[in-house]
Amino acid sequence: MERTEELAALRAALEAGPPVHLGGMLGSGKSRLARRLPVADAVDLAGLGAGEAGSRVRAALAAGSGGGLLLVDSVDAPEQAEAVAAALEDPPAGTGGGPRRPVLLVGRFPLRAVAVDAAVAGWAERPLTTLTALTLGPVGAGAVEAQVRACGVEDPEAVALAVRLAGGNPLLARLAARTLLAGTPADAPGAVADAMTEEVLLRLDRERPAAAPGSGRRRHALRLLATVRAGDERLLSGGPDLFSALAGLSLVRRERLGLAVREPFRTLFELAYQWRRPQHHEGLRARAADYRRALLTERRDPQERARLVEQGLFLSGDPTLRGSLFPPAEESAAIGPAAIGPARAGETADIGRLMRGWAVRGGFDVRRCERITGQWLDAAGPAAFRLARDRDGRPVGLAALLPVAQGTQGGIEPLLQQHATGLLDGTRERSGGLFLGAAYAADPVAHAQILRDILGQAVIAGHLVVSTASPDYQTLLRALSFRPHGGIRDDVYRCGRRPEVYSHDFNPAGLPGWMRTLGPGGGPAGRLEGEAGAVDVPGAVAWALARIRDPRALARSPLLALPGLPTAQALRDWLDNAVLELALADAPADAEAGAILRAYYLSGRPRTHHQAAREVHISRATYFRRLRRGLALLADRLPGTL
């Protein structure tokens, strides 16, 4: 694997004089790249304690003082970094000053982060300007495919699986090729992933050879953490020592909701765990989803709610959501990690360039899209767009995400047309949430990050209206249980397809229930379990009510397994009658619950929760309490038992 640009940058950094640190994840190719340089002496610190590590570096400096390049590999623990720092500060034997030879340090942890740790005295006292840091990211899919084929893998299905599991990591590419050549079939990705993880876990064990608890517990906890994507100490249930041991691994990062395994290793570990213990895997996801929903009911910070919703979407396990929102990579080989934020005043040309890319990819009329882009800019300025920027700050993706307010309606109404009256009313009295008109990035990893950012912004804003002519986005919105409002009158993009309009209310009180309908055992379109005993019954009722006019969708409902509900038509008739009876109940709370169900689900006109609450003259807080009450009452009255 060439990495020509990285090699040139490494040579230039070494020629500048100070020690250079080459970082990157396990298996990213650091050591291979370093050994393409003219190395005079090499010291490998893998598995060594601080004392022996320092002694070996001092010996190498003394033996080759003033000579060629010294490579110090596997600087993978804080105590090793401290020992190396002290060795570099000591004058080599026989000289009157510091080391005269160039030094290249290679390790998995960012050494600058270790350097500012007061416990690592050598680096804390050493000026950071004397250390040049370079980091290796993933390689492109084409390079991985060439590597796998060079190993002797020829079957197209096997090559595709190896590229997918490698996620741009050269080590994983080799392990995948080796596993497939050993006879593990490509149609068993979990088995391939399991064999690959064995080598990965062995290499991780060498990072913290003296760490407690035992490596067996850490290995199992890694698989659990990978399955839930992010976990705090309570969710992992292994105690503080195990949590700290995981946090010390190079493949694990700290984030807002706890620890998380870095991609592509997360995908690999989860596949292996799912293959080894499928029932435990499903049960763990369900328990984690319940825990996240419980936190949603407690949290008041909108940013934290947005993170919890993202986690809930991941835990749903829905293949459409996983494929669109959670690719097995954290950054692109081409653009690096993307940073998303509001567009700036000077980025109008970049917005136009990216919108043209969006139009071409969607098969839209480019000039028509340019006029619509101008309308959005006129309505809200560059702030109508959120941009994804690459490692150099260059915009590489965008979302047209306009605030729904009276001043922006002129730019929104052409994409809503006959639906505008119902979706844009009330904006004089309150914020109307957000309107999404476009989302685009040529890079799939950045595109997924943009989609997650859109949903996070929608949770913070409280409501999202979407107009899209893209079949892929329409599929995603249906998987997310957005409320469909139908197509608009005109083919505004001149692409042969009329945009369809969807909306969803992200009111905090309704988020846990929404997560329940998407979660394991209660999701949309094929995610509902077929066995009645596994069904979240109120969630299944809500799912069926939302699709009561769609016979094909109702035919997938697990409620059809109940006595007396043999067909989709029978289920529809029962729901219609049950909601009417509830609305006519003597108890005021029950009658209000029935009225809400009729207004939101059965009125015949698409409505938001806000509109339904206004129709029945109930406060929003009471509305959601009555909505949950109505769903629970219908679940209790279903014929038969679950």
Side-chain angles (χ1 to χ4, degrees):
M1 209 162 285
E2 289 297 323
R3 287 196 182 271
T4 306
E5 294 182 5
E6 291 91 339
L7 184 61
L10 187 55
R11 284 181 172 139
L14 287 166
E15 290 172 1
V20 175
H21 179 256
L22 178 62
M25 281 200 297
L26 166 67
S28 58
K30 304 179 298 296
S31 298
R32 288 193 174 215
L33 183 65
R35 292 181 185 278
R36 293 174 62 184
L37 297 167
V39 176
D41 296 294
V43 178
D44 193 342
L45 306 185
L48 300 183
E52 189 174 358
S55 298
R56 291 200 184 184
V57 173
R58 285 187 178 87
L61 288 169
S65 179
L69 175 64
L70 170 62
L71 170 62
V72 183
D73 205 352
S74 304
V75 188
D76 289 334
E79 59 270 17
Q80 293 174 333
E82 183 176 3
V84 170
L88 292 175
E89 288 296 319
D90 292 341
T95 70
R100 298 290 188 266
R101 64 192 309 192
V103 178
L104 175 60
L105 311 171
V106 177
R108 300 171 191 169
F109 292 94
L111 204 57
R112 284 188 181 274
V114 177
V116 298
D117 186 349
V120 186
W123 287 115
E125 297 162 3
R126 187 181 181 88
L128 290 180
T129 54
T130 65
L131 178 68
T132 299
L134 301 174
T135 302
L136 288 187
V139 298
V144 173
E145 180 176 345
Q147 179 186 4
V148 170
R149 290 187 182 278
C151 292
V153 180
E154 298 178 353
D155 176 67
E157 182 182 357
V159 171
L161 176 64
V163 172
R164 178 166 66 88
L165 294 182
N169 186 284
L171 170 65
L172 296 186
R174 292 196 300 275
L175 295 179
R178 186 177 71 187
T179 302
L180 290 162
L181 291 171
T184 306
D187 61 359
V192 176
D194 184 69
M196 294 169 64
T197 59
E198 290 301 306
E199 175 68 22
V200 172
L201 292 168
L202 284 174
R203 295 188 180 217
L204 281 179
D205 283 344
R206 295 199 292 266
E207 284 186 10
R208 306 279 179 177
S215 62
R217 290 185 63 200
R218 292 201 305 274
R219 288 180 171 204
H220 182 60
L222 268 175
R223 292 188 175 102
L224 300 185
L225 181 58
T227 297
V228 301
R229 189 169 181 254
D232 55 21
E233 190 174 304
R234 180 177 177 183
L235 186 57
L236 292 176
S237 303
D241 291 340
L242 180 59
F243 191 82
S244 297
L246 291 179
L249 296 174
S250 63
L251 297 186
V252 177
R253 69 173 187 273
R254 289 178 170 90
E255 62 173 40
R256 188 159 184 166
L257 296 181
L259 303 179
V261 180
R262 299 180 186 275
E263 293 285 7
F265 297 93
R266 191 215 63 77
T267 295
L268 202 70
F269 290 154
E270 184 185 8
L271 270 175
Y273 183 54
Q274 186 177 18
W275 178 74
R276 284 195 175 202
R277 307 182 74 175
Q279 288 185 323
H280 289 81
H281 172 267
E282 283 296 307
L284 175 63
R285 280 201 305 111
R287 290 193 299 274
D290 287 342
Y291 177 58
R292 293 305 186 199
R293 287 196 296 271
L295 290 179
L296 263 176
T297 65
E298 303 169 0
R299 295 300 186 258
R300 297 294 178 263
D301 180 8
Q303 294 279 355
E304 190 165 1
R305 285 199 298 264
R307 294 296 185 97
L308 288 168
V309 165
E310 181 178 308
Q311 286 297 104
L313 295 175
F314 172 85
L315 289 168
S316 75
D318 183 277
T320 298
L321 301 185
R322 284 283 183 99
S324 300
L325 303 176
F326 305 100
E330 292 178 359
E331 63 179 85
S332 163
I335 67 174
I340 299 179
R344 307 181 186 112
E347 293 178 321
T348 304
D350 290 303
I351 291 171
R353 170 178 58 83
L354 292 168
M355 285 297 294
R356 284 191 293 274
W358 170 75
V360 170
R361 187 180 68 178
F364 306 149
D365 180 270
V366 173
R367 295 185 64 181
R368 183 73 172 176
C369 291
E370 288 175 345
R371 287 196 292 272
I372 292 173
T373 302
Q375 291 173 346
W376 291 339
L377 287 169
D378 290 342
F385 295 86
R386 290 180 64 81
L387 299 184
R389 301 177 178 87
D390 65 11
R391 61 170 68 90
D392 298 320
R394 180 174 180 269
V396 293
L398 93 174
L401 202 59
L402 286 73
V404 177
Q406 189 163 5
T408 63
Q409 289 188 16
I412 297 174
E413 286 180 337
L415 275 300
L416 299 181
Q417 295 186 2
Q418 72 269 28
H419 305 293
T421 301
L423 291 171
L424 301 184
D425 63 350
T427 54
R428 295 184 180 182
E429 295 82 18
R430 66 176 184 92
S431 168
L434 298 171
F435 168 79
L436 175 65
Y440 170 74
D443 181 83
V445 178
H447 186 252
Q449 190 173 344
I450 288 170
L451 295 179
R452 296 198 304 271
D453 180 74
I454 290 168
L455 289 169
Q457 295 299 313
V459 171
I460 295 170
H463 192 73
L464 181 65
V465 178
V466 184
S467 177
T468 176
S470 166
D472 290 339
Y473 289 153
Q474 291 164 6
T475 298
L476 176 60
L477 291 167
R478 288 192 292 269
L480 287 166
S481 286
F482 271 55
R483 187 170 179 81
H485 299 277
I488 65 175
R489 289 185 295 265
D490 301 324
D491 177 9
V492 295
Y493 297 120
R494 304 295 186 263
C495 63
R497 304 184 304 273
R498 294 180 302 161
E500 293 184 3
V501 178
Y502 296 80
S503 70
H504 190 74
D505 195 338
F506 291 92
N507 182 278
L511 290 177
W514 178 54
M515 288 286 96
R516 186 179 295 110
T517 66
L518 301 180
R527 287 297 305 157
L528 291 167
E529 298 289 340
E531 304 238 354
V535 172
D536 164 27
V537 187
V541 170
W543 189 91
L545 282 170
R547 294 156 180 82
I548 197 165
R549 310 300 176 198
D550 186 346
R552 287 186 298 177
L554 283 181
R556 295 192 296 269
S557 172
L559 300 178
L560 298 184
L562 295 171
L565 297 177
T567 66
Q569 185 61 47
L571 175 57
R572 174 178 174 172
D573 292 342
W574 186 90
L575 289 170
D576 274 327
N577 292 330
V579 171
L580 178 59
E581 290 177 4
L582 191 61
L584 298 174
D586 293 332
D590 292 355
E592 286 181 349
I596 287 170
L597 294 177
R598 292 189 71 190
Y600 185 66
Y601 291 111
L602 306 181
S603 66
R605 290 194 299 132
R607 295 172 183 235
T608 66
H609 286 298
H610 172 71
Q611 292 166 339
R614 286 170 54 191
E615 178 175 321
V616 295
H617 307 292
I618 294 177
S619 71
R620 290 172 68 84
T622 302
Y623 171 87
F624 284 105
R625 287 198 301 271
R626 296 290 187 264
L627 177 64
R628 289 192 293 271
R629 179 186 182 91
L631 294 174
L633 288 170
L634 291 190
D636 290 341
R637 298 177 184 183
L638 282 164
T641 57
L642 289 177

